[in-house]
Amino acid sequence: MESEDEFLHIYFTHVSQLCYEKAKEHIEKEKEPKGCTTPWGAFLNYLQQLTLTEKSYMEIGFLQNKHKSFLRKDNSLRSVYETMKNDLKKLEDNTRQSAGDIRVQKGSKNIVQFLKARINLIDLYEKIYNMGLNKQIRYNEILTHIETVIEKNSEGFTDIGLTPVKAVFSLECEILEQLFKALTQLQTLEFLPPLALIHGAHTRLAAWESKMQSREIWKLGIFKNSPLPALFQWLQKLKGAVLSKFSLYFHDILAQQTTPHDMRQLCSKLYNDHYQKIVSFQRKYDATYVILLSEKLIALNSGHDGIIVSHPHRVSPQTDLILKMIMETANDLQIIDKIIYKFITQEQNTYILTIVEPTIYLIILFESKKSEKDTFISNFVLDLCQNLRCTKLFTCLKNTNK
């Protein structure tokens, strides 16, 4: 490895391990005497700036403090990356034209490619956030966007000096790809493919975390692990949310593999124990049943009752009546978070319906009249559905308090 490659490799190793102070110290050692302005000196200054920018990126700074107006400069992290990318491109071009420092040309070119990749990911996270904000569940659109980012940057910043950040960038993209692919496949109630994808995301998260083992701070004479960065924690939560959703959709299949006690114990460790929340709601509010129903299961198998999961277990709902209600309220049900109350006077029953995602509905039956003003019911329904869609987690990407 040539000296300039080694210099960049060490720098980007520190950055990828979240050792930002070490990265800055590494650059300081290389800096030229004051008053000496060379392309290499300018290049090092950009690396110093990149250190701070990367730290902010890992703390999800790219969705914070976005102030842009006619009289106000855009101070978003995306804008910082854009400016740095343009400045480094100019530095690369100027150095090439003057047949100057090859190190600067080569380093600038590769870092520009890396900055483009970062901007691509910032745009992706912005799209994920907006999907949550707009209560949309178009996982396939996000998946396509992720695949485009991966393909677009597959041959970028492959220089040996940038291999540490290339590895981390690839892990980040693959984690997102696996989880959104799993969400897409869960919409069609596939079992094994999403399970494998969730495991793949878990493996990659573990691999990424292992690269952060140096993130130690000295405090009061004791080494303590600093918290994992906000972006990594968010990805962990996303994996947890997808696994929780999988565990609810296939609760009955999974329950057959173990004892009821062990199943409860395993579910209690999930990011969201959806099934236990359903059980608690049904018991506390004396609902006849709570079910998730799939129109697709019924369409594919005329003998199937369409139940994905239910509590109490093995209930026998009036599927024909429920499907009729779904057809009658189809337009309203397409409105995300719209809760439909249907009171059957003859039976004195109240059916509560809402859409979780395309062709999958949450149905609650009460053997009494229930009011739409009952916030306990509406809060339960909204909380369950938003967590299953992961939209609540998507909007958590942006901390509006900052």
Side-chain angles (χ1 to χ4, degrees):
M1 192 185 294
E2 295 181 14
S3 59
E4 59 267 24
D5 289 332
E6 186 178 2
F7 169 77
L8 281 177
H9 191 275
I10 292 170
Y11 167 75
F12 281 111
T13 297
H14 290 324
V15 170
S16 67
Q17 292 176 345
L18 315 184
C19 300
Y20 302 112
E21 288 304 316
K22 286 184 180 179
K24 287 196 280 187
E25 288 169 10
H26 181 62
I27 294 165
E28 286 295 333
K29 290 175 187 174
E30 188 73 15
K31 277 196 169 181
E32 297 161 330
K34 284 187 178 180
C36 182
T37 54
T38 64
W40 179 247
F43 178 73
L44 293 176
N45 287 335
Y46 286 123
L47 287 185
Q48 287 283 37
Q49 187 182 352
L50 180 60
T51 308
L52 297 173
T53 312
E54 279 295 289
K55 185 177 182 180
S56 182
Y57 175 87
M58 290 303 296
E59 294 302 330
I60 318 185
F62 48 85
L63 287 179
Q64 322 300 339
N65 304 323
K66 294 183 74 174
H67 302 300
K68 188 178 180 182
S69 65
F70 178 67
L71 297 173
R72 204 168 187 175
K73 187 180 177 183
D74 182 1
N75 70 342
S76 67
L77 195 64
R78 189 189 193 284
S79 175
V80 174
Y81 275 113
E82 280 282 4
T83 303
M84 206 186 313
K85 181 195 76 173
N86 295 335
D87 289 347
L88 276 166
K89 187 73 178 73
K90 284 179 190 173
L91 183 63
E92 179 199 348
D93 293 341
N94 292 338
T95 312
R96 185 186 297 111
Q97 288 167 11
S98 61
D101 199 325
I102 297 295
R103 297 177 301 172
V104 175
Q105 286 182 42
K106 185 180 170 186
S108 297
K109 180 182 177 181
N110 276 277
I111 293 171
V112 164
Q113 292 171 353
F114 171 63
L115 297 176
K116 285 179 180 176
R118 271 286 181 256
I119 292 165
N120 291 160
L121 278 179
I122 288 172
D123 291 342
L124 171 65
Y125 285 116
E126 185 80 49
K127 190 166 185 174
I128 292 171
Y129 168 75
N130 285 326
M131 188 170 77
L133 197 64
N134 299 324
K135 300 177 182 179
Q136 297 169 333
I137 37 178
R138 299 170 184 161
Y139 307 128
N140 57 330
E141 287 185 13
I142 299 294
L143 180 58
T144 301
H145 194 139
I146 296 165
E147 289 168 347
T148 302
V149 170
I150 292 171
E151 185 180 354
K152 192 185 289 184
N153 296 286
S154 61
E155 296 180 10
F157 56 106
T158 53
D159 188 77
I160 192 168
L162 279 79
T163 49
V165 284
K166 179 71 173 186
V168 168
F169 172 82
S170 298
L171 285 171
E172 184 179 353
C173 288
E174 287 166 14
I175 290 162
L176 287 164
E177 181 186 32
Q178 303 249 311
L179 293 176
F180 275 94
K181 195 176 283 186
L183 283 170
T184 303
Q185 292 177 345
L186 280 171
Q187 287 185 318
T188 54
L189 300 174
E190 297 178 59
F191 178 70
L192 286 176
L195 182 61
L197 289 163
I198 294 165
H199 177 70
H202 173 78
T203 303
R204 285 161 176 79
L205 280 163
W208 189 359
E209 187 173 1
S210 71
K211 294 178 183 293
M212 302 180 195
Q213 292 306 311
S214 301
R215 66 181 204 291
E216 291 180 323
I217 53 172
W218 184 260
K219 192 174 183 182
L220 300 176
I222 304 170
F223 268 119
K224 289 187 177 180
N225 277 337
S226 60
L228 289 161
L231 180 60
F232 186 84
Q233 288 187 48
W234 184 84
L235 289 168
Q236 283 183 315
K237 288 175 184 176
L238 180 59
K239 186 215 77 176
V242 178
L243 179 59
S244 299
K245 180 175 183 173
F246 175 88
S247 300
L248 180 66
Y249 278 18
F250 298 102
H251 183 273
D252 292 354
I253 293 173
L254 297 171
Q256 291 170 13
Q257 315 303 316
T258 185
T259 65
H261 175 266
D262 286 349
M263 186 65 184
R264 283 194 298 273
Q265 287 291 103
L266 289 167
C267 288
S268 69
K269 296 173 184 176
L270 292 168
Y271 179 70
N272 283 309
D273 188 354
H274 296 303
Y275 190 78
Q276 189 54 47
K277 286 178 181 177
I278 289 172
V279 171
S280 299
F281 171 83
Q282 186 270 335
R283 288 176 180 169
K284 185 175 181 179
Y285 226 59
D286 198 26
T288 306
Y289 60 67
V290 180
I291 63 172
L292 282 180
L293 185 92
S294 166
E295 277 186 303
K296 186 178 179 183
L297 286 178
I298 297 169
L300 291 174
N301 184 350
S302 57
H304 202 293
D305 60 10
I307 294 177
I308 299 170
V309 66
S310 70
H311 186 77
H313 191 48
R314 301 191 187 285
V315 296
S316 300
Q318 293 179 278
T319 307
D320 291 343
L321 177 61
I322 292 171
L323 289 175
K324 184 183 175 186
M325 290 180 190
I326 289 171
M327 286 181 64
E328 290 172 350
T329 58
N331 290 336
D332 285 338
L333 279 174
Q334 293 313 305
I335 302 169
I336 298 296
D337 287 344
K338 176 83 172 175
I339 304 171
I340 310 294
Y341 284 70
K342 281 279 190 179
F343 180 64
I344 310 298
T345 311
Q346 223 173 357
E347 301 172 3
Q348 291 292 296
N349 287 345
T350 303
Y351 285 85
I352 296 171
L353 304 87
T354 193
I355 191 167
V356 179
E357 50 192 325
T359 77
I360 296 176
Y361 303 90
L362 173 66
I363 318 290
I364 305 172
L365 173 64
F366 290 99
E367 293 179 345
S368 59
K369 188 166 186 176
K370 292 296 176 184
S371 168
E372 294 183 23
K373 295 177 182 178
D374 192 323
T375 55
F376 186 83
I377 295 174
S378 59
N379 287 343
F380 165 76
V381 170
L382 292 174
D383 185 65
L384 178 63
C385 292
Q386 287 168 6
N387 280 317
L388 284 172
R389 297 184 203 116
C390 298
T391 49
K392 189 180 284 189
L393 190 58
F394 296 160
T395 55
C396 285
L397 268 170
K398 184 179 286 189
N399 183 350
T400 51
N401 295 324
K402 285 193 177 183

